[in-house]
Amino acid sequence: MNTNQAQTLIAMVFVLGTLVLLVLPSVLGLVRERRIDRQIREAQEIREGEPAQKSSSRSTVPSTATWYAEGRRSKKLVNS
């Protein structure tokens, strides 16, 4: 193996290594996304047999901003 062949081999290994380093995060992300999609699909299949969850029957309390705005509206009606 002469010098030119050794340099070519080193350059090819370097280029392939760089390519692997650039592509590896994308491949790992795709594998992770497929795993998550599979888990979601399995959870949906399990959930299809269960009844839908009902919302809470207790009444909701208005926020402070709503309470403050209603108070200001009533004062405006009294003043005018």
Side-chain angles (χ1 to χ4, degrees), residues 42-53:
E42 288 173 359
Q44 286 175 344
E45 289 173 359
I46 292 171
R47 195 167 194 195
E48 285 176 357
E50 297 177 9
Q53 183 179 3

Side-chain angles (χ1 to χ4, degrees), residues 48-64:
E48 285 176 357
E50 297 177 9
Q53 183 179 3
K54 295 182 180 178
S55 64
S56 174
S57 60
R58 88 179 175 178
S59 63
T60 58
V61 178
S63 68
T64 305

